[in-house]
Amino acid sequence: MSDLSSLALTHVAKLHAYTPGLQPTEAGWVKLNTNECPYPPSPRVAEALHEAIGPDAAALRLYPNPASTPVRAAVARLHGLTEADVCIGNGSDDILNLLIRAYCGGEAATGFTLPSYSLYPVLIGIQDGRMEAIEFDRSMRLPIDKIAASAARIFFLTSPNAPTGVGFGNAQIAQVLASFDGLLVVDEAYAPFAEESAIALLAAHPRLVVVRTLSKAFALAGIRVGYALAHPSVIEVLDRVRDSYNVNRLSQVAAVAALGDPSYYDGIIARVKATRTAAVADFAERRGWFTYPSQANFIFTEPKNARGESGAAVARSAYDFLCARQVLVRLFPSHALTASFLRISVGTDAEMRVLTDTLDAWLVRTAHNLPQ
Ligand SMILES: *Cc1c(COP(=O)(O)O)cnc(C)c1O
């Protein structure tokens, strides 16, 4: 066989992998590019992991609970639901993948908005599914009529949206549910930082799926746990298509410990929101930069140089200047609505000070047209 790549399925041969944000391995970076939590997880997580591993890690001989039953119970308790309404994934990316595996393909299209989480088209491509992308305009208001008119069997809505941070209220989501016939997935990766959650709509709307993750608000991106909340008949479909041991033993232990300590997380979520408010005010009042109202743990802001100009080249210049000084943020150059912005994860107050000091230095450079 001379050409190994020709053995792959035709649609797979054309795929491009999802591009995750950079994860630098050396120390010294102010890392504000992948919306991780700047604070550690609940201290109960370390205690539970130490206990689970024990002195000789003997428990790791054994397979984990195949259905992640203790995690389902903890999630159900947290949201006032039952275990039959919950499926646990190896990160919420696993849950999104299960939804695509079960509901995408053939003639029916899979819908999502642009911009939103760029993993959706990658997963649909792996399935060789048809896509229907619904474009926002600069207002970032939810295009309810366009979603309703779409022929999608399943539609992915990120709320609060990424990378803008704009949240959609339950009145709007209920309007979508009233007019769209398919399964509506609301990806709530950032909902703990938002004003409302679509979880309140689940009881009345069997075609709604809410997806959550422990990666952002629970400070556990490294353990890969996420979950779906939905009608038991949807959960039962997801259980049919998932790997039988999709969540490892230590991740289950860490997740149960974290989910059992909501008051700790109320504290760090409040800190992130306070830092977010201060950062948005700084960009608006001191710099005159436009920032979308954020209900997430990041802000999406349109930098202006010292001459008051904005645009893709200005955003790139600010990004490169920050990156050269080990401050990592995220740039989304491939879409006209996002190319002139920076997405900045909310860090600690000290990290945000490094960010704003570095942006001040960038402004001085742009004022004098100096090389970076
Ligand atoms: C971070 C993120 C995810 C992925 O979460 P994991 O649980 O880490 O896989 C899913 N959706 C959106 C919108 C995200 O921003």
Side-chain angles (χ1 to χ4, degrees):
M1 194 52 63
S2 58
D3 184 6
L4 260 183
S5 67
S6 70
L7 286 175
L9 298 176
T10 316
H11 75 276
V12 174
K14 289 183 281 192
L15 289 180
H16 296 283
Y18 173 74
T19 323
L22 296 174
Q23 295 288 351
T25 48
E26 71 276 28
W29 285 86
V30 173
K31 194 174 175 309
L32 304 174
N33 68 328
T34 47
N35 303 337
E36 288 135 329
C37 182
Y39 305 109
S42 160
R44 293 190 196 175
V45 171
E47 284 166 30
L49 284 173
H50 281 302
E51 194 177 323
I53 296 169
D56 54 5
L60 300 187
R61 292 176 302 114
L62 304 173
Y63 281 104
N65 182 306
S68 307
T69 307
V71 191
R72 285 188 206 225
V75 168
R77 209 175 307 121
L78 183 67
H79 296 301
L81 299 168
T82 70
E83 283 175 42
D85 306 315
V86 184
C87 181
I88 309 297
N90 181 32
S92 60
D93 287 352
D94 182 29
I95 295 290
L96 299 171
N97 191 27
L98 299 180
L99 286 162
I100 295 282
R101 215 183 266 180
Y103 294 97
C104 161
E107 276 312 292
T110 298
F112 55 89
T113 64
L114 275 180
S116 73
Y117 188 33
S118 56
L119 181 69
Y120 310 137
V122 173
L123 295 176
I124 299 165
I126 293 168
Q127 185 87 343
D128 202 15
R130 287 186 46 225
M131 324 194 175
E132 190 164 340
I134 305 264
E135 298 261 349
F136 279 100
D137 60 31
R138 188 164 157 117
S139 75
M140 296 296 166
R141 265 194 293 275
L142 190 62
I144 296 174
D145 295 341
K146 287 200 227 167
I147 298 173
S150 90
R153 178 184 299 171
I154 178 167
F155 197 98
F156 290 84
L157 178 66
T158 316
S159 182
N161 199 11
T164 61
V166 174
F168 308 112
N170 283 350
Q172 288 175 288
I173 291 171
Q175 261 181 285
V176 173
L177 283 161
S179 52
F180 167 72
D181 294 332
L183 204 61
L184 179 69
V185 179
V186 181
D187 183 344
E188 287 201 337
Y190 303 104
F193 307 99
E195 287 156 21
E196 254 186 321
S197 162
I199 293 172
L201 299 174
L202 279 169
H205 297 279
R207 285 183 295 101
L208 171 65
V209 181
V210 176
V211 178
R212 288 272 184 120
T213 177
L214 272 60
S215 295
K216 313 284 168 48
F218 282 90
L220 287 172
I223 68 155
R224 317 297 308 123
V225 172
Y227 53 91
L229 306 172
H231 189 276
S233 60
V234 174
I235 297 299
E236 195 265 328
V237 166
L238 299 183
D239 275 325
R240 265 185 247 165
V241 298
R242 70 174 172 80
D243 291 352
S244 41
Y245 300 107
N246 65 330
V247 182
N248 76 66
R249 188 171 267 278
L250 297 179
S251 293
Q252 292 190 34
V253 166
V256 169
L259 291 161
D261 197 1
S263 61
Y264 172 82
Y265 287 103
D266 288 347
I268 62 173
I269 288 164
R271 278 159 82 180
V272 168
K273 284 160 81 173
T275 305
R276 176 183 76 189
T277 303
V280 171
D282 178 77
F283 288 126
E285 290 157 20
R286 200 160 66 85
R287 297 170 197 276
W289 294 6
F290 172 71
T291 303
Y292 283 103
S294 173
Q295 294 199 37
N297 66 342
F298 57 83
I299 60 172
F300 199 55
T301 191
E302 189 173 39
K304 279 185 191 164
N305 64 19
R307 291 182 295 282
E309 299 157 340
S310 56
V314 173
R316 166 76 65 184
S317 158
Y319 174 87
D320 288 342
F321 188 90
L322 290 167
C323 199
R325 285 147 190 87
Q326 289 201 306
V327 179
L328 203 50
V329 298
R330 193 102 191 246
L331 196 62
F332 294 86
S334 63
H335 195 284
L337 287 173
T338 58
S340 63
F341 287 75
L342 299 176
R343 192 195 68 188
I344 301 167
S345 308
V346 175
T348 62
D349 289 325
E351 287 173 319
M352 298 311 270
R353 250 190 316 279
V354 174
L355 169 85
T356 49
D357 288 351
T358 312
L359 285 171
D360 286 343
W362 170 73
L363 273 176
V364 170
R365 289 291 174 98
T366 68
H368 302 296
N369 248 332
L370 294 170
Q372 307 240 326

